[in-house]
Amino acid sequence: VSVVSVEMQVYGLPPRLAMRFAWAYLKYNKKNVFLLTLVVVAFRIVLLQLRGGRKRRVRASKENDKKKPTDGIKERGYLKKLIRMLMPSFWHTSTLSLLGIVLMQLIRTVITDRLAVIAGRLFKACYLREKETFMQMIKENVFQTLALSATVATLKLITTRLSINWRSMLTRKLHKEYFQQLSYYKLSFVDKRVSNPVQRITEDVTKLCEILPGVLGDLMHCTVEGGYFTWRLGHDLGWGWAAASWFWPIFAVKFVVSIAPDERKLISEKQSLEASYREAHAHVVTHCESIAALGGEDRESEVLSTRFKKLCAHLAKMHDIDWKFGMVAAFARYFGTTIAMILIVGPFFTGKNRPSGSMDSKGEVLSKMRYTATVIINELWAVTSLALCYPKLIRASSYGDRVGKMMAVMAQLRDRADAAGTTHFKEGSCIAFEGVEIRTPAGTLLAENVNFQVDPKTNFLITGPNGAGKSSLFRCLGALWNIPTGVITKPHSAGEGLHGDVFYLPQKPYNVLGSLADQITYPAPSSSLSRKELTHLLDLVGLDYLLNQKYTDTKNWEASLSLGETQRLAMARLFYHSPRFAILDECTSGVTDSMERKLYELCAERDITCITISHRPALKEFHTLQFALDGNQGYSIENCAGAARTRNRIGTVGEEDVQIDELATQTEAGKTYSALPALPKAPKGWQAWGKMSPIFLPGASDPAARKLVIAALLTCSRVLLSDRIAHLNSTTTSQVLTQDRAGFIRQCFLSAFQSLLQSISAPSLTYIANTLSLQWRQAFTTRLLKAYFMKGAFYKVCQVHNQTGMTQRFTSDVSKMCTEVADMFPDLIKPIVEITWFTATMGKHIGWDSTRILYGYAIASLLFLRAIRPDFAGMVAKSQDLEGSFERLHTRVQTHAESIAFFGGHEREKAILDNQWLELEKHLKKVSLQHWWYNILDEFTTRQLPHIVTWMLSWKYAIHYNIKDGVGASMVHDLRWMASAVSHTFTAFGDVLQLDKHLQEVTGYSNRVAETTAWLDVAIRDYDAAVKKASNKTPTGEDTFIGFSDVDIVSPAGVCLVNQLNVDVCHGSNLLVTGPNGGGKTSFFRVLGGLWPTRGGYIDRPVTKNSLMLVPQRPYSVLSTFADQMTYPTKAFNGNAAHDAEVEKKLTSLLEQVGISYLLERFKWDTVTKWEDTLSLGEQQRIGMTRVFFHAPKCAILDQCTDAVSVDVEKKLYELARQSGTTIITIAQRPGLWDLHEKHLHLVDGRGQWKLSSISPLSP
């Protein structure tokens, strides 16, 4: 006995209690001494393991502390700072909300305590059959349960509102810092210490603010309820029992915290993989036309699938860790019920609490025991909940570290920018570089000791090869890049970006989400622009016809206008602001020569000094000085005054240098077509579930089906355990009346065994639900991706029908739907099994009439709650839509960060994001109010009021029970069991009612997923069949390669751009397509490539693989290796040594031919980076032409894909294409290289007219 008691004291049990427990156990269970010894030895081994694990963690922590960051930015330890920021003072709203949570927790605890007293008295009244006392307690019970329902719902409301308020504070704080000192640009393109800034602002902040209030609320609940019930226990049973009640919770918390896995790295990696997967989806949406044109569906599907598989593998690893830890944590909590049994019933076997022989004494003991049971169980569950708070706190800390690190890096970037502003910039009336060194963020030297000065009215032309650093000069001028040495002079030197007196026009203009007037006044508000001024500015650039559209509507103008139209709109923006200096970075590549000339003339009239970046020496006539970079860190400056005026680009053959003979013409306007049919409305409700049932209800051979069966069996086992626990509780209650100590000790060991089973079954059920959710997500994602990339469905949905939020639908909606359905499955099985099991057993005890009362109440409650239920499905759908829009706007800012920085549009973009967040915040608060009043009625109807019905049935049973043994032990056993059984039955009915509400919320996700599936199915199956009248026939002519026969080129809106086009392209006969902006050139490209349907006539085009290749206007870079950029849409290397060596040799030769072999010195073949941000536009266009030469198609359609390279390189590229035997169809704004084409198709006005001519050299 002494040895056993000493061993128990080692684990924290008070000596007196340890001795008493050991003596009692050995006295009545002599045969189990060996078993007890094994248990003690097992606990000793576990303790030693824990100590060893703790030492390893301490050692690892010390090693991590030695690795101090060199840049002053920590990886961890930001949660406390964030909490202090969220609660800056005592009287702040957040602090008051936390005090409100404490108050609600205290009120709930007091009400729970009073309900425990009432329950004890009701139990005594049933035992003694005191009707008056029973009815009095029932009345008070109704009032208390209603108060408890309101308290619980209000507590949820305060917690939810606190979460929303904290998210709002963090979001606005991050927005403020994100848009200061160009942090939004530098985080993505200069400083690489913070990955995925968009995800940190949108997703990490959300999860942090969802977890943190809940954790703090749980800690307060543990403190308030644990402290209160400890006081009550000490007051009623003595402080020795109260102190003993803390032994197991302290050990359990210490035990769980010791073995809890550190999930910081796991969560950080999970967020990184999630962001990578979302980035790939957003990349497809942004570049959908380029991908469709290049035929990259299979390659993009592979990229997405690879990233998704990595994410799934990591999630499976996390689920496995959570399962193993969950079983230990669950045992620590469930074993508390055994401890509770000892503490509850133990005092009633000795001392003054023992029942005497009278019925009144026994009734008093039953009442007191019932109250004590509630007190101790609530205390133990409250305190042991601390163990479950630790993993939640770790998760909150991991998200807090990600957000806090981003804020710390932004603060450091601001400090560096302030220091650089005082060191490397000064204010002046000109733009000047003095000894400036130009380096990329990666450290590559582009130019050194740069010295030049641009005075007002002195136009400055900057030329040089691709990658020489032309645009980089102005990234340094705008403080986007750091300047190692030198001083830059500019107007308003302290300002961010280039705006005010210095205005920037990029080659691909940025269009803000807003009205037509907003495009012109950006970054200023459009309220200052009158209709008259708007008309005048649009007329200057030839865009007055845009006023015929709904120009006041907010729309995505990038998708509505061609490149040339957006460039002319940017010119109107320049004239509106009339700065002193204008930086023109290839900003006229999409307009005509006449429009280009007009730009420079209007700038001269308005005293706007032009600094032009160009490859075309023809622009010398508009400039005074030329600054030429040589690509070898050097430069030269020469005078352009008196430069000869040229008719066309130097080095090209113009229209005047060839003979043109008209072949065909069309002067009639095109007929009117109807717009393409809209995508169908989504199936909703049960129709949506029916569409997805094949995945949620798989066949017998599917692994998901086996998991469903295991989940069902685990759920049934938990129901059986609940039944056995109900019998155990009933038995121990009756043993108190009969003073059966030996039987009580046996029940204690049985309770421990049941706790072990519960600790296995509950986490295992959660693990099965998590793996099932992951498997369903994989199935849905695979199915959606297959449909997404089938027959160009992604392009038709995203570009033709302009459906937004596809990234949100593929990632968040699918994930949340599968998670919610997997969590809901046990909630569906468990109530059915419980209702069936306990109904059958209750019918034998209380009769079927009473059972029908239960069903009647449950059905009435269900009908009542369904009648008053808000539209939760609609709320969820709108929330997801607003969340997706908020994330999409952030992604848009990241994508166009450089243009926004140059324009100084940070305040405008911040206002747009703040407004979007305000709309989302209002909706979330509205939803929380809807949940609040519904939760009051739901909690009262499904959780609290059933207890009253239970007592009424218990009373009915008690008054008809015939006590035969004089003690009533059997009746007490039956009453206690019936109370548990009826409670479980009502809880099951409550779960069914909750399931209906849960189902409505999940339907919001399922409707969106079903809608996406319907869109893709229509795009695949019905789209072409509804509108396509042409057939892809094999050309009948021996030389005819591509033929248009009476083809109407019609936009998706129904506008006929080209009427009855007839043109043949023979092999080896190049075609030049020209026309004004909006004339239908790119539309010709889309129809020929099959991106748009043929609405009239038919097109003969090659049907064999690699016969036709489309090179779009916008260069596309796949998210893959350097080698894959040139072989896209195929992979460069396949692991075969001979094949890989041959490909490498071929790519090296092609890079030399297109003049960018120097890239091999910067990158390896397997280098992976964001290529569209790493390479210059000209380098990207040359890589695009390298793809043509690598695949060697019979025909290549080039849509203005060489306008960023020099004229000599452009001519060389065309000659290489001709030598390779590839027929070229060139779509251009300014006709050039006439001698390399045999036909010319001029699209006149975008209203149907066109003219076809032949091109031949002039006779000598």
Side-chain angles (χ1 to χ4, degrees):
V1 171
S2 300
V3 171
V4 172
S5 66
V6 169
E7 286 293 334
M8 290 185 176
Q9 292 176 44
V10 170
Y11 302 107
L13 200 66
R16 185 176 179 183
L17 185 61
M19 181 69 74
R20 181 180 299 177
F21 183 83
W23 175 258
Y25 178 79
L26 295 176
K27 180 179 180 181
Y28 294 104
N29 297 272
K30 296 178 180 178
K31 296 181 180 179
N32 293 325
V33 173
F34 179 69
L35 177 62
L36 179 63
T37 306
L38 289 180
V39 171
V40 171
V41 172
F43 266 83
R44 172 70 72 181
I45 294 173
V46 170
L47 187 62
L48 292 175
Q49 290 293 326
L50 291 178
R51 289 174 178 172
R54 189 184 302 112
K55 290 179 180 179
R56 286 192 297 271
R57 282 192 291 274
V58 170
R59 193 183 308 116
S61 177
K62 291 181 179 180
E63 291 177 358
N64 290 332
D65 291 339
K66 294 179 182 179
K67 301 176 182 179
K68 295 183 178 180
T70 57
D71 56 0
I73 302 298
K74 301 184 298 181
E75 293 291 333
R76 297 181 180 180
Y78 293 101
L79 185 60
K80 292 182 180 179
K81 294 181 180 179
L82 291 176
I83 293 176
R84 286 196 294 268
M85 186 187 73
L86 294 172
M87 295 187 293
S89 66
F90 179 81
W91 297 108
H92 192 266
T93 307
S94 300
T95 310
L96 296 178
S97 296
L98 282 176
L99 292 177
I101 292 176
V102 175
L103 179 61
M104 288 297 107
Q105 295 280 13
L106 182 60
I107 293 174
R108 185 173 72 172
T109 302
V110 172
I111 295 175
T112 302
D113 179 65
R114 182 57 189 170
L115 286 173
V117 174
I118 294 172
R121 293 180 180 177
L122 284 169
F123 197 47
K124 176 184 176 182
C126 289
Y127 179 72
L128 299 178
R129 306 176 188 183
E130 298 175 348
K131 184 176 180 180
E132 184 177 350
T133 303
F134 180 82
M135 295 308 297
Q136 183 181 356
M137 291 296 100
I138 285 292
K139 293 177 182 178
E140 185 178 355
N141 202 343
V142 173
F143 172 77
Q144 294 290 350
T145 52
L146 182 60
L148 182 61
S149 300
T151 302
V152 170
T154 304
L155 180 61
K156 290 180 181 179
L157 175 65
I158 296 175
T159 305
T160 304
R161 283 298 183 91
L162 180 62
S163 174
I164 296 172
N165 290 336
W166 277 357
R167 184 182 176 189
S168 180
M169 292 175 64
L170 274 179
T171 299
R172 295 182 187 278
K173 174 75 173 176
L174 286 170
H175 281 179
K176 181 180 178 181
E177 297 180 359
Y178 193 55
F179 288 101
Q180 286 181 355
Q181 296 291 351
L182 305 176
S183 294
Y184 60 94
Y185 172 82
K186 294 178 180 178
L187 285 177
S188 299
F189 300 98
V190 178
D191 194 294
K192 301 296 184 180
R193 288 176 292 174
V194 175
S195 60
N196 316 119
V198 172
Q199 186 193 38
R200 295 176 189 244
I201 297 175
T202 57
E203 188 175 342
D204 290 355
V205 168
T206 302
K207 291 185 176 180
L208 170 64
C209 296
E210 286 176 352
I211 297 173
L212 191 57
V215 173
L216 295 179
D218 290 343
L219 291 173
M220 294 173 186
H221 169 71
C222 299
T223 304
V224 171
E225 195 158 291
Y228 181 87
F229 285 119
T230 300
W231 172 75
R232 293 295 298 173
L233 184 63
H235 181 269
D236 293 342
L237 296 181
W239 293 104
W241 288 103
S245 67
W246 278 82
F247 157 68
W248 177 253
I250 292 175
F251 174 78
V253 171
K254 190 175 181 181
F255 176 77
V256 171
V257 170
S258 299
I259 66 170
D262 190 351
E263 294 188 340
R264 290 183 180 91
K265 290 183 178 180
L266 293 173
I267 291 178
S268 179
E269 186 178 355
K270 168 184 169 293
Q271 291 299 98
S272 178
L273 292 172
E274 286 275 13
S276 175
Y277 177 54
R278 295 175 75 94
E279 179 192 19
H281 265 292
H283 193 74
V284 171
V285 173
T286 303
H287 302 279
C288 60
E289 182 163 281
S290 298
I291 294 170
L294 293 167
E297 292 88 347
D298 293 340
R299 187 73 179 93
E300 298 301 325
S301 178
E302 181 185 356
V303 170
L304 281 169
S305 298
T306 301
R307 296 194 175 195
F308 181 67
K309 288 177 181 177
K310 290 181 180 179
L311 172 61
C312 290
H314 183 73
L315 291 175
K317 177 182 176 182
M318 291 186 66
H319 294 333
D320 186 62
I321 292 174
D322 290 341
W323 175 46
K324 294 175 182 177
F325 169 72
M327 286 191 289
V328 179
F331 180 76
R333 193 175 192 190
Y334 285 123
F335 189 71
T337 58
T338 303
I339 304 298
M341 281 183 58
I342 299 172
L343 296 174
I344 293 167
V345 185
F348 294 95
F349 281 105
T350 58
K352 62 180 181 179
N353 293 316
R354 293 181 63 184
S356 62
S358 66
M359 292 291 289
D360 289 340
S361 174
K362 289 181 173 59
E364 187 64 32
V365 167
L366 290 174
S367 175
K368 192 172 184 180
M369 187 170 63
R370 179 63 186 263
Y371 172 72
T372 304
T374 304
V375 168
I376 293 179
I377 289 175
N378 285 338
E379 179 206 14
L380 289 174
W381 277 81
V383 179
T384 52
S385 294
L386 290 171
L388 301 180
C389 289
Y390 182 74
K392 296 179 183 178
L393 196 61
I394 291 295
R395 293 189 185 99
S397 178
S398 62
Y399 292 115
D401 290 340
R402 285 171 59 84
V403 175
K405 181 182 177 181
M406 178 179 175
M407 297 177 72
V409 170
M410 288 193 295
Q412 191 178 80
L413 290 176
R414 290 196 302 274
D415 294 339
R416 291 177 181 177
D418 292 338
T422 58
T423 305
H424 299 292
F425 290 91
K426 66 180 182 179
E427 186 175 352
S429 59
C430 63
I431 293 178
F433 280 55
E434 301 175 29
V436 176
E437 184 178 283
I438 309 297
R439 286 185 179 272
T440 67
T444 303
L445 178 63
L446 299 177
E448 57 182 349
N449 195 27
V450 177
N451 293 276
F452 67 83
Q453 179 171 325
V454 182
D455 295 315
K457 299 184 181 180
T458 304
N459 288 357
F460 198 73
L461 176 65
I462 300 176
T463 60
N466 298 129
K470 302 183 295 298
S471 298
S472 303
L473 286 171
F474 298 102
R475 295 187 180 106
C476 295
L477 177 65
L480 276 68
W481 285 6
N482 298 324
I483 307 168
T485 58
V487 177
I488 296 178
T489 302
K490 65 174 181 176
H492 302 293
S493 63
E496 304 168 4
L498 298 175
H499 55 98
D501 287 342
V502 183
F503 211 75
Y504 177 79
L505 264 67
Q507 183 180 28
K508 294 180 179 178
Y510 172 66
N511 296 103
V512 67
L513 289 175
S515 65
L516 183 60
D518 289 329
Q519 311 311 311
I520 293 179
T521 62
Y522 184 82
S526 60
S527 56
S528 59
L529 183 66
S530 65
R531 170 64 186 268
K532 182 178 180 181
E533 291 175 311
L534 175 63
T535 305
H536 172 68
L537 289 170
L538 291 176
D539 185 61
L540 281 177
V541 296
L543 293 177
D544 52 307
Y545 59 86
L546 293 180
L547 293 173
N548 298 329
Q549 304 179 19
K550 294 181 179 180
Y551 63 91
T552 58
D553 292 349
T554 298
K555 63 170 71 173
N556 184 3
W557 292 94
E558 289 180 3
S560 304
L561 304 176
S562 67
L563 174 63
E565 288 172 322
T566 56
Q567 287 186 348
R568 286 193 281 170
L569 200 59
M571 296 176 193
R573 182 185 299 170
L574 171 66
F575 300 145
Y576 170 80
H577 289 281
S578 293
R580 292 163 61 185
F581 295 90
I583 299 173
L584 313 179
D585 188 0
E586 303 277 4
C587 68
T588 58
S589 60
V591 301
T592 60
D593 289 330
S594 59
M595 188 68 244
E596 182 181 61
R597 180 177 296 278
K598 186 176 182 180
L599 167 65
Y600 284 100
E601 292 173 352
L602 290 173
C603 286
E605 291 176 7
R606 289 165 169 73
D607 293 332
I608 300 175
T609 303
C610 296
I611 302 176
T612 305
I613 300 174
S614 179
H615 295 90
R616 301 190 299 111
L619 294 179
K620 281 186 176 182
E621 61 174 294
F622 303 113
H623 298 81
T624 306
L625 295 174
Q626 179 181 0
F627 180 90
L629 291 164
D630 59 12
N632 295 314
Q633 294 90 45
Y635 66 91
S636 61
I637 301 177
E638 63 181 35
N639 198 324
C640 297
R645 294 183 177 271
T646 59
R647 297 171 301 177
N648 51 277
R649 295 186 291 177
I650 296 177
T652 66
V653 178
E655 185 176 357
E656 299 81 359
D657 303 315
V658 296
Q659 180 177 337
I660 298 177
D661 299 315
E662 186 174 302
L663 298 177
T665 184
Q666 174 61 266
T667 59
E668 297 180 2
K671 57 185 178 182
T672 303
Y673 282 85
S674 61
L676 291 177
L679 292 173
K681 294 184 179 179
K684 294 185 178 181
W686 293 111
Q687 291 183 351
W689 290 113
K691 293 283 186 181
M692 295 179 289
S693 59
I695 292 179
F696 283 129
L697 299 174
S701 60
D702 194 286
R706 293 192 290 271
K707 287 184 173 65
L708 287 173
V709 173
I710 294 173
L713 293 176
L714 286 172
T715 304
C716 294
S717 68
R718 295 198 66 191
V719 174
L720 294 177
L721 275 174
S722 299
D723 179 66
R724 299 316 306 164
I725 290 171
H727 278 288
L728 186 145
N729 293 334
S730 304
T731 302
T732 54
T733 304
S734 63
Q735 285 170 346
V736 170
L737 295 181
T738 59
Q739 291 293 290
D740 183 5
R741 296 187 180 186
F744 169 67
I745 293 177
R746 286 194 299 271
Q747 295 300 320
C748 289
F749 278 92
L750 180 60
S751 175
F753 179 69
Q754 290 175 346
S755 299
L756 178 62
L757 294 180
Q758 282 184 300
S759 65
I760 295 174
S761 62
S764 297
L765 187 59
T766 303
Y767 174 73
I768 291 296
N770 288 335
T771 56
L772 193 59
S773 168
L774 184 59
Q775 192 162 340
W776 280 341
R777 184 182 180 186
Q778 289 174 309
F780 270 107
T781 301
T782 302
R783 175 182 172 182
L784 287 172
L785 286 178
K786 182 179 179 181
Y788 197 48
F789 290 107
M790 186 180 293
K791 298 181 181 179
F794 70 99
Y795 173 79
K796 296 166 187 174
V797 172
C798 297
Q799 187 76 12
V800 177
H801 290 283
N802 197 27
Q803 294 295 336
T804 58
M806 295 303 292
T807 301
Q808 180 84 358
R809 293 170 182 268
F810 270 81
T811 54
S812 179
D813 289 355
V814 172
S815 174
K816 289 183 177 180
M817 180 189 69
C818 295
T819 301
E820 296 292 339
V821 173
D823 292 340
M824 194 169 59
F825 179 74
D827 296 337
L828 175 64
I829 300 297
K830 185 173 180 286
I832 296 174
V833 177
E834 282 188 338
I835 291 171
T836 304
W837 177 266
F838 286 109
T839 298
T841 52
M842 280 192 306
K844 301 176 182 178
H845 288 80
I846 63 177
W848 294 106
D849 291 339
S850 299
T851 305
R852 282 193 288 270
I853 294 175
L854 297 179
Y855 279 92
Y857 174 81
I859 294 173
S861 300
L862 177 62
L863 294 176
F864 170 70
L865 291 176
R866 283 182 65 89
I868 65 171
R869 183 187 61 212
D871 182 15
F872 289 119
M875 292 178 186
V876 169
K878 185 175 181 181
S879 297
Q880 286 299 102
D881 187 54
L882 292 174
E883 292 278 8
S885 298
F886 183 58
E887 182 183 5
R888 194 160 57 250
L889 287 175
H890 262 290
T891 303
R892 180 182 172 87
V893 170
Q894 185 183 34
T895 302
H896 301 280
E898 184 167 280
S899 295
I900 295 171
F902 277 134
F903 283 123
H906 51 280
E907 290 294 339
R908 184 65 183 281
E909 300 298 331
K910 178 179 177 295
I912 292 174
L913 285 169
D914 285 343
N915 289 336
Q916 182 64 34
W917 164 247
L918 181 61
E919 184 179 359
L920 175 58
E921 182 183 11
K922 288 181 178 178
H923 175 72
L924 294 176
K925 289 183 176 180
K926 179 181 177 181
V927 170
S928 67
L929 282 177
Q930 294 287 329
H931 277 279
W932 174 68
W933 69 261
Y934 182 81
N935 284 340
I936 293 177
L937 298 175
D938 183 36
E939 176 75 17
F940 181 69
T941 305
T942 62
R943 301 294 180 190
Q944 304 302 331
L945 197 57
H947 292 296
I948 299 173
V949 181
T950 301
W951 285 117
M952 297 297 291
L953 294 175
S954 299
W955 172 259
K956 181 181 177 182
Y957 177 78
I959 61 176
H960 291 96
Y961 190 87
N962 184 18
I963 300 178
K964 299 178 181 179
D965 56 3
V967 178
S970 298
M971 186 182 74
V972 170
H973 177 278
D974 292 344
L975 281 176
R976 189 68 184 89
W977 177 87
M978 187 178 65
S980 298
V982 175
S983 176
H984 278 292
T985 305
F986 268 116
T987 301
F989 280 120
D991 291 339
V992 172
L993 299 177
Q994 289 285 336
L995 187 65
D996 181 62
K997 174 190 172 184
H998 195 186
L999 182 63
Q1000 287 299 313
E1001 294 176 345
V1002 177
T1003 301
Y1005 301 115
S1006 65
N1007 287 345
R1008 286 169 59 87
V1009 175
E1011 184 178 52
T1012 305
T1013 305
W1015 288 349
L1016 297 176
D1017 289 343
V1018 168
I1020 294 169
R1021 183 182 62 252
D1022 298 332
Y1023 180 89
D1024 290 336
V1027 295
K1028 188 174 182 180
K1029 296 181 180 179
S1031 59
N1032 292 335
K1033 299 179 180 179
T1034 304
T1036 55
E1038 195 171 307
D1039 297 327
T1040 302
F1041 191 65
I1042 293 175
F1044 284 70
S1045 301
D1046 295 328
V1047 174
D1048 290 341
I1049 298 179
V1050 184
S1051 70
V1055 179
C1056 185
L1057 303 172
V1058 181
N1059 182 36
Q1060 294 184 342
L1061 178 62
N1062 289 279
V1063 60
D1064 293 331
V1065 179
C1066 299
H1067 185 67
S1069 177
N1070 295 348
L1071 174 67
L1072 177 65
V1073 182
T1074 63
N1077 297 132
K1081 301 184 301 299
T1082 301
S1083 301
F1084 173 89
F1085 170 90
R1086 292 165 179 156
V1087 170
L1088 179 57
L1091 304 182
W1092 282 7
T1094 306
R1095 304 286 289 271
Y1098 66 89
I1099 302 175
D1100 287 334
R1101 56 175 170 266
V1103 295
T1104 57
K1105 190 176 181 180
N1106 294 333
S1107 295
L1108 183 66
M1109 187 170 186
L1110 285 75
V1111 184
Q1113 196 175 69
R1114 184 175 186 176
Y1116 175 66
S1117 301
V1118 64
L1119 297 173
S1120 189
T1121 64
F1122 177 57
D1124 287 342
Q1125 306 308 310
M1126 287 154 283
T1127 63
Y1128 186 82
T1130 60
K1131 292 190 69 172
F1133 305 126
N1134 61 9
N1136 183 286
H1139 171 270
D1140 293 350
E1142 183 181 352
V1143 171
E1144 182 177 343
K1145 181 179 179 181
K1146 183 177 181 179
L1147 291 179
T1148 303
S1149 174
L1150 290 175
L1151 288 176
E1152 292 176 355
Q1153 292 180 37
V1154 300
I1156 51 174
S1157 58
Y1158 59 86
L1159 293 179
L1160 292 175
E1161 300 175 2
R1162 301 184 191 174
F1163 313 111
K1164 297 180 180 179
W1165 292 116
D1166 58 352
T1167 301
V1168 178
T1169 185
K1170 291 185 177 180
W1171 297 105
E1172 57 191 24
D1173 301 330
T1174 304
L1175 303 175
S1176 69
L1177 182 61
E1179 289 169 336
Q1180 293 178 57
Q1181 289 189 345
R1182 292 203 219 187
I1183 285 179
M1185 290 300 295
T1186 304
R1187 291 175 187 158
V1188 176
F1189 303 143
F1190 179 84
H1191 292 287
K1194 294 182 178 179
C1195 180
I1197 299 98
L1198 312 182
D1199 186 7
Q1200 302 186 53
C1201 64
T1202 58
D1203 50 15
V1205 300
S1206 59
V1207 291
D1208 56 329
V1209 172
E1210 184 180 41
K1211 185 171 184 178
K1212 181 180 179 181
L1213 294 176
Y1214 273 84
E1215 290 174 346
L1216 288 173
R1218 182 182 285 274
Q1219 293 172 8
S1220 65
T1222 299
T1223 302
I1224 299 294
I1225 299 178
T1226 302
I1227 299 173
Q1229 178 62 46
R1230 280 189 294 266
L1233 303 175
W1234 287 74
D1235 58 332
L1236 297 178
H1237 297 83
E1238 282 68 37
K1239 289 184 180 180
H1240 173 220
L1241 175 63
H1242 181 65
L1243 306 179
V1244 179
D1245 55 2
R1247 299 177 183 177
Q1249 300 183 34
W1250 54 271
K1251 183 170 65 175
L1252 180 65
S1253 306
S1254 64
I1255 303 174
S1256 58
L1258 288 174
S1259 302

